Each structure stands twice: as C-alpha cells, then as structure tokens.
Amino acid sequence: MVSVRTPGRRKPKPPVLALAPRPHPWRRALGLVTVVLAGAWLGLLVVGNVRAQVGPMNTTMTLRPSLSGGTKINVSPLGALHLDSHVAPVRLDVNVDQLDPARAQALVDHPERLSGLQDEVARDVEHGTLDLAVRSCVAVVAGATALGLAVYRRPGRAAAAGGLALALLAASGGTAYATWNPKSVLEPRFSGLLSSAPSLVGNARSIVTEFDVYQKELARLVTNVTKLYDVTSTLPAYQPDPTTVRVLHVSDIHLNPASWKIIASLVEQYKVDVIVDSGDTMDHGTAAENGFLDPVANLGAPYVWVRGNHDSVLTQRYLEGVRGVHVLDRGRAVTVAGLRFAGIGDPQYTPDRSTVPGGGDAEERAGAELAAALRAQRAAGTPVDVAIAHEPSAARGVDGEVPLVLAGHLHHEQTEVLEKGTRLRVEGSTGGSGLRAVEGKYPDPIEASILYLDRDTRRLQAWDEIKLGGLGLTTAEVSRHLPKENQPGAAPTPTDPATASPTTTTATPTTTTPTGPATAP
C-alpha cells in the first residue's frame, strides 16, 4: 500500500516541557528569613505576653523586637523609664498596671508580712520571667510556622521556619544574657511626663547608690499608696451644723497622681462644698502635663484655683476649660457655695526652683493688686470672704481687706493672724512634694485642711489639719483647731478684720489612725 502525502500538511512535533528557572539561593534564604521574622513578631504581638503579680502590683511582661534591646518600664500616668540593660534584638517591656486590692489589703491587715515582701517580689519576678520565656518560645514558633505554612503550603518548609524562629529567639536570649548590664539602672532615660523632671535622675541615682538606706523601707514604699487610700476612708469626720460651709484647702500637689484619690476621698468623707487649690498643681507647667489635670472634673465638688510658680499660663488656660473649675487671677472674684472668693496667680514662673532677681518685689506688687481688687469688691457691695494667693508674701499684702487669706508654696502648714486682723492660712503639700518626695532624708507628709465657715457670717468657725504619712510612713493625723474668738467664754467675733485683735490658735488633741508599723522621722 502506497501512502500518499498530502501537500501542505506536516506532522505536529511533540511539545517540549521546559522547567521554570529556580530562584537564586540567597533570594530563597532571604524570603525564609522574612517569613520567620514576620511570623515571630506576629506571634509575640498576639500571645507573647504574661500577666504577673509582683508583690501587690499587677504587671504585664512582654518581649518586643528591637534593634537596640534594653528594658522599658511603663509607669502610668507618669511615663516610661528606659534602661540599657542588654544588647539584643529583643526588648523587655514591663507595664505596671495597678495595685492588686486583695494582696495589698492583706499587707495592710497583716504588717508582719512586710518583712518577707522583698523575697516575695524577687520570687514573683523570677517566676514571671520564666513564664515569659516559655510563652515567648511558643509564640514565635507558632507564629513562624503558621505564616510559613500559609506562604509555602509545604509542611516541611513551615517546620523549618518554626525551627529557625526558635533558634533566633534562643540566640537573642543568649546575647541578652551575655551583655546583661545590671548597672544600667544608674543611667536611666525618661520619657512622657518624667522627661519634664530632669532633677529626678539624680534622685534615682541616689536611691540606687545608697540602696542600703532605702532597702529597709522597700516594703512600705511598695504599699504606701494603698495605705493612704485605706486611712482616708476611716478618718473621723466633723459633723457640722447644716449652716456650715465646708472648704477643702489643698496646695502644691506637684504632679502626684495619688493626690486625686485622696482629695476625692476627703470630699466624700467630709461632704466638702468647695475645693480651694492655692497653686503648684504641676511641676513644670508643660503642655505634656495637662492630662494630669483631667480628674479635677470628677472630684465631686467645685474647684477654685490660682496659679503657682510651677504652673504656667498653658496650665491656667487648660484648667479654664475643665468643667467645674474656677480659675482666679488679677483679683477676679467668684461666688461658690455661698462664699465669695478672689485670687491672683503667682507673678513668677520658676519651675526649676531658681531665684529670680526682684521676685520679692513682684510678690508684693501682686499682693497690692489683690488688695486693690478686694477694696473694689467691697465698694461694689460684694465683699470677698476668702482671698487666695500662692506665695505667703503676696497673701500678706491683703491684711485688713478680708477675714481669711489662703496660700501655699512653703510645703508645710502654718496659721497666723496678721497685724490688722486677717487670718493667713498656709497649706502644706497635698502631693507630699510630688516627684521630689525622696530628696530629703525623710519624705514630706501629705497635708490638707478642712475649713468650716458659717454660712451666714461667712467667718471661720474651726479647721481640721489632716496629715498623712509620706512615702514609707503609715499614720494619719487629724487635729481640730479653733480660732481664739470661738472658744468658750471668748468675746464675739469682730465684724471687720481691720478692728480685730491678733489671736492665736489652739489645737485639740491629735487623732492618730495607725495602719501599720509607724516610722517616725
């Protein structure tokens, strides 16, 4: 049989199978490393943190990827403390969340446990670190393996990603251990509100280099805030006549966040009608500090405020926008809770505690300006009952123009009847000197006063001085004081301070509420 070849038709050639070009080895390695790092990072973000109790504190410990390593301790609301504790591609973050009420209260109720608190804290930190290490290993392996499986869709490649992630974490841990620098606490870096307090660096160094002095007080330092809250809830309250106006006088809070809790407790305990703050609520008056003032709106009573030498014009403007706050300056007067208040801001702004030449003259001029405003109010038929200035030297300038003038600045309380009959009441530091509480050998106490004024005569009937032990101290003292003219058998109170004779104050026995082993200076 003869085959006939059809012209123009050719037999098709079999297809040739060509293999795709394989990627370069370094690209494959780079892709795997990228998957490993991204998966490990995601794993740490999702599940790589441990909630640990350190003494009476609830904390959250986390490992984070980092180019420089180190340790970051977040202390809300003051900011963060950075330590160059190690050099590794991981950073340890520790967030101090809050006090554990149950454990803190147990320390308050059983002071004998304080002696073992240091060992307990050490055990808690060790346990939390071990838990964090185990959880971080699981997190990075799971994250890298899951991402590797999603990208490569091959179990073997995904397992390799997980193994490489574990190896990288182990290498990072070994590097951190080898470069661990326990002396890094001597050179901390501050951020947030703490960055506005450079003087604190020196204090922190003193605490570390002289740790043997502070070690004995460690347990009381840790539980101090809880004890303060506890004692304010049991303070004996004065039960005044319904015609009495109760004024809470505070001053020099200096950014101490514990002050707001204490003030709120006093407002509730004493049924306070109005709060008067005679300044230095801030420490440096920066815009970054303004958020510290937000709790003022929720203290439970109207807030009358004058500017101190640590408060800036920015601080004043911010407070003018806070609900329930009455900012007084340049002799401005306002009626709150049936009392007429007038005040002036401090003419000096010295947040670094420097001495400004001519500062004394500026305070005298401020006092004269406030006195002129008081005379104008009296001439208008709206006499002022209480004047407010931050500096006592400015407050002395209103002698004879008002029955009572309130001040602060000195960080210790004192009362004086001036030559023309005006009573000067200087409040101590309601913030215990704030961030500077540990500058001296003993911390400053937290001080405030409850003033009782007659609603009809608007004259001072009595006042209670309240003193809470500062850092490391565990007592609360309340002492009752009466103006001499209000004591039994005294002559009636003069109606004009210019005609009043100088009087002295006497205190009833002090009431002390111990909440643990007291430490006396």
Side-chain angles (χ1 to χ4, degrees), residues 89-104:
V90 289
R91 184 187 73 205
L92 174 62
D93 284 1
V94 180
N95 294 319
V96 179
D97 299 328
Q98 62 181 4
L99 280 172
D100 180 356
R103 298 186 74 178

Side-chain angles (χ1 to χ4, degrees), residues 112-164:
E112 66 276 5
R113 298 184 184 180
L114 295 175
S115 59
L117 182 59
Q118 297 179 50
D119 294 335
E120 179 185 349
V121 169
R123 289 192 302 269
D124 289 343
V125 171
E126 181 180 0
H127 181 71
T129 305
L130 292 176
D131 285 351
L132 179 62
V134 173
R135 193 176 184 90
S136 298
C137 289
V138 174
V140 299
V141 171
T145 302
L147 188 59
L149 188 61
V151 172
Y152 298 112
R153 301 182 183 279
R154 295 171 59 183
R157 189 65 63 86
L164 182 58

Side-chain angles (χ1 to χ4, degrees), residues 232-302:
T232 55
S233 65
T234 58
L235 290 176
Y238 178 53
Q239 299 298 328
D241 184 272
T243 61
T244 301
V245 181
R246 293 170 293 283
V247 178
L248 172 59
H249 184 198
V250 301
S251 190
D252 296 86
I253 292 175
H254 284 292
L255 279 182
N256 187 345
S259 298
W260 300 133
K261 292 286 187 180
I262 294 170
I263 291 173
S265 177
L266 293 174
V267 168
E268 180 179 2
Q269 185 75 11
Y270 283 83
K271 309 302 179 187
V272 167
D273 298 298
V274 57
I275 305 168
V276 172
D277 185 342
S278 49
D280 274 5
T281 311
M282 311 298 256
D283 217 28
H284 286 72
T286 62
E289 296 172 323
N290 284 342
F292 172 76
L293 300 168
D294 291 342
V296 171
N298 300 312
L299 293 177

Side-chain angles (χ1 to χ4, degrees), residues 12 26 43 105 121 129 141 154 187-188 307 391 396:
W26 69 267
Q105 189 61 45
V121 169
T129 305
V141 171
R154 295 171 59 183
E187 298 180 356
R307 187 181 66 250
E391 251 275 6
R396 294 176 186 277

Side-chain angles (χ1 to χ4, degrees), residues 222-494:
V222 172
T223 59
N224 176 63
V225 173
T226 300
K227 293 175 181 177
L228 291 179
Y229 297 168
D230 181 71
V231 297
T232 55
S233 65
T234 58
L235 290 176
Y238 178 53
Q239 299 298 328
D241 184 272
T243 61
T244 301
V245 181
R246 293 170 293 283
V247 178
L248 172 59
H249 184 198
V250 301
S251 190
D252 296 86
I253 292 175
H254 284 292
L255 279 182
N256 187 345
S259 298
W260 300 133
K261 292 286 187 180
I262 294 170
I263 291 173
S265 177
L266 293 174
V267 168
E268 180 179 2
Q269 185 75 11
Y270 283 83
K271 309 302 179 187
V272 167
D273 298 298
V274 57
I275 305 168
V276 172
D277 185 342
S278 49
D280 274 5
T281 311
M282 311 298 256
D283 217 28
H284 286 72
T286 62
E289 296 172 323
N290 284 342
F292 172 76
L293 300 168
D294 291 342
V296 171
N298 300 312
L299 293 177
Y303 203 87
V304 179
W305 183 86
V306 297
R307 187 181 66 250
N309 61 294
H310 283 259
D311 304 316
S312 66
V313 175
L314 288 174
T315 303
Q316 180 164 317
R317 291 174 181 169
Y318 188 85
L319 270 174
E320 288 172 346
V322 177
R323 174 175 53 86
V325 176
H326 303 273
V327 175
L328 303 184
D329 196 9
R330 309 302 298 269
R332 175 176 178 260
V334 63
T335 300
V336 183
L339 297 175
R340 188 78 170 163
F341 297 92
I344 192 167
D346 198 302
Q348 300 187 86
Y349 176 53
T350 55
D352 57 354
R353 293 179 289 178
S354 61
T355 301
V356 177
D361 294 337
E363 297 294 347
E364 291 182 4
R365 288 194 298 270
E369 181 180 355
L370 181 56
L374 296 176
R375 288 191 292 269
Q377 288 287 329
R378 183 189 304 168
T382 55
V384 170
D385 306 308
V386 181
I388 312 167
H390 178 68
E391 251 275 6
S393 56
R396 294 176 186 277
V398 303
D399 186 18
E401 306 295 343
V402 68
L404 177 65
V405 59
L406 305 179
H409 185 67
L410 301 182
H411 288 210
H412 63 81
E413 65 82 23
Q414 66 182 49
T415 302
E416 177 184 357
V417 177
L418 303 178
E419 182 179 354
K420 298 180 181 179
T422 294
R423 187 180 301 276
L424 170 62
R425 174 84 182 110
V426 179
E427 190 54 76
S429 174
T430 311
S433 297
L435 298 177
R436 303 186 176 105
V438 294
E439 283 187 342
K441 183 176 181 181
Y442 295 101
D444 292 342
I446 292 177
E447 296 180 303
S449 298
I450 303 292
L451 312 177
Y452 305 102
L453 288 85
D454 185 89
R455 194 176 296 273
D456 295 328
T457 65
R458 295 180 295 280
R459 290 304 185 94
L460 186 66
Q461 295 178 317
W463 71 92
D464 289 344
E465 293 177 3
I466 300 169
K467 181 182 295 186
L468 305 179
L471 292 173
L473 306 181
T474 58
T475 61
E477 297 179 354
V478 181
S479 56
R480 170 65 46 77
H481 297 259
L482 298 175
K484 185 175 182 180
E485 62 269 18
N486 284 2
Q487 295 180 16
T493 303

